[in-house]
């Protein structure tokens, strides 16, 4: 997961912003499907 996305997700969870969490979650799944299977496991922390 990109660092910028991780930071925004942590901020959204701390602020309990459900709308932002849902939006970022959708962005992550869209990003993951565009990257393909080769990069799904290499970018995890």
């Amino acid at each position: 997961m990109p660092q910028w996305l991780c930071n925004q997700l942590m901020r959204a969870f701390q602020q309990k912003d459900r709308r932002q969490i849902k939006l970022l979650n959708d962005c992550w799944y869209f990003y993951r499907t565009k990257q393909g299977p080769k990069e799904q496991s290499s970018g995890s922390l």
Side-chain angles (χ1 to χ4, degrees):
M1 179 180 291
Q3 190 60 45
W4 64 269
L5 184 58
C6 206
N7 292 340
Q8 288 190 20
L9 268 171
M10 287 193 310
R11 190 176 308 124
F13 272 102
Q14 288 171 353
Q15 295 174 354
K16 296 181 174 73
D17 187 352
R18 290 181 181 212
R19 184 189 60 83
Q20 186 74 0
I21 293 168
K22 184 177 181 339
L23 176 70
L24 292 169
N25 192 44
D26 290 344
C27 289
W28 170 239
Y29 281 107
F30 179 75
Y31 175 83
R32 240 182 47 184
T33 57
K34 291 295 180 185
Q35 290 300 311
K38 65 180 179 340
E39 293 205 16
Q40 284 184 6
S41 60
S42 64
S44 63
L45 292 173

